[in-house]
Amino acid sequence: MLPLTIALSKGRILEEVLPLLARAGIEPAENPLESRKLVIATSLPDVNLVIIRAADVPTYVQYGAADLGVAGKDVLMEYGGDGLYELLDLKIAACRLMVAEPARLAERDDPRQWTRLRIATKYPMTTRRHFADKGIQTDIIKLYGSMELAPLVGLCDRIVDLVGTGKTLRANGLVEVEHIANISAWLVANKASMKMKHAPLKGLVQRLGQAAGG
Ligand code: PRT
Ligand code: MG
């Protein structure tokens, strides 16, 4: 059989995807949470895992360096394009993409009056698209993390960020003012692999679908 490679990322996705892989009968040969290895064999002889940065998963899959990948919908929306198949909502690592601002600004702010916004975010493409669709102009400040800090230090008034429990926003005096998208991790596939390795991939995708409860 042709070998199959699944791209995963460290952090939240890996923690939540490992139990799902186990239910699908895919056990890593060593614990990817601890190992420094970037390519890890599994209990299925022809299936390997590669462990990469979350934002790199769509790139590896699009260029065929991995046949399958697991990536957050946030990462997929930001990556854009139509280079991949989004096969399956795994319903893990769930959160929401939101616009947030300081609570004291929200007291007198009306999102229906917005015409131009200065926004700090890790998601410039998604943010620009969301507001452009509503006729709102944006000045976007690209950050790589800790967006919640930006309004506190005067970088901007508003941020676009992922919210899970809401604890991080609350701890920093911020509130959610607009919902952009519900987010969860998706199984994605390389388009050429879906043709060339159809039978083995179909089997693997079915196992993962059952393990995800769908
Ligand atoms: O760490 P690295 O830069 O390599 O990548 P990463 O930060 O993208 O990895 P990771 O593991 O943090 O996130 C991977 C994926 O998990 C994201 O792409 C999302 O699809 C998903 N996910 C689910 C989340 C959250 N929930 C989440 N709450 N990613 C990040 N957060 C952060 C959020 O940005 C905010 O800072 O958690 C904070 C808010 O959490 P609450 O619970 O306080 O609201
Ligand atoms: Mg992170």
Side-chain angles (χ1 to χ4, degrees):
M1 195 176 106
L2 292 167
L4 299 177
T5 301
I6 309 175
L8 304 174
S9 59
K10 276 216 160 115
R12 259 170 256 259
I13 301 256
L14 193 54
E15 278 166 35
E16 297 198 33
V17 88
L18 286 178
L20 193 147
L21 290 179
R23 284 199 299 280
I26 306 168
E27 300 274 1
E30 54 192 288
N31 184 352
L33 294 168
E34 285 159 15
S35 174
R36 292 184 181 232
K37 269 200 181 164
L38 302 176
V39 183
I40 297 182
T42 73
S43 50
L44 297 185
D46 300 306
V47 177
N48 292 317
L49 308 177
V50 291
I51 313 293
I52 57 183
R53 290 291 293 267
D56 290 335
V57 170
T59 309
Y60 273 67
V61 175
Q62 168 154 8
Y63 290 96
D67 303 291
L68 295 175
V70 176
K73 189 76 183 179
D74 52 320
V75 168
L76 295 170
M77 286 165 63
E78 189 65 17
Y79 186 76
D82 51 6
L84 319 159
Y85 289 125
E86 294 185 10
L87 294 179
L88 204 60
D89 182 356
L90 298 175
K91 303 196 173 84
I92 56 171
C95 58
R96 52 198 187 272
L97 187 65
M98 303 292 298
V99 186
E101 65 187 24
R104 45 172 178 69
L105 170 58
E107 282 168 20
R108 56 178 167 81
D109 194 21
D110 179 0
R112 286 167 303 183
Q113 305 290 319
W114 288 346
T115 54
R116 181 164 197 143
L117 299 173
R118 182 177 158 97
I119 296 185
T121 185
K122 190 176 164 183
Y123 305 101
M125 303 299 287
T126 309
T127 299
R128 191 168 288 118
R129 208 180 310 124
H130 170 77
F131 286 110
D133 286 348
K134 309 195 327 161
I136 299 169
Q137 285 187 58
T138 43
D139 300 309
I140 293 178
I141 302 168
K142 159 87 187 183
L143 295 177
Y144 292 87
S146 303
M147 270 75 79
E148 296 89 350
L149 180 62
L152 307 186
V153 295
L155 202 54
C156 58
D157 282 331
R158 298 176 184 86
I159 60 172
V160 165
D161 193 8
L162 300 175
V163 180
T165 61
K167 281 185 193 162
T168 309
L169 288 184
R170 265 197 304 285
N172 292 291
L174 303 172
V175 293
E176 299 169 38
V177 286
E178 189 163 284
H179 178 271
I180 298 181
N182 287 329
I183 303 294
S184 54
W186 280 68
L187 183 69
V188 296
N190 174 265
K191 287 187 171 178
S193 303
M194 287 299 278
K195 290 201 190 84
M196 316 271 290
K197 304 183 185 177
H198 184 75
L201 268 182
K202 196 174 157 204
L204 197 54
V205 171
Q206 263 168 4
R207 287 166 94 120
L208 291 168
Q210 273 158 13

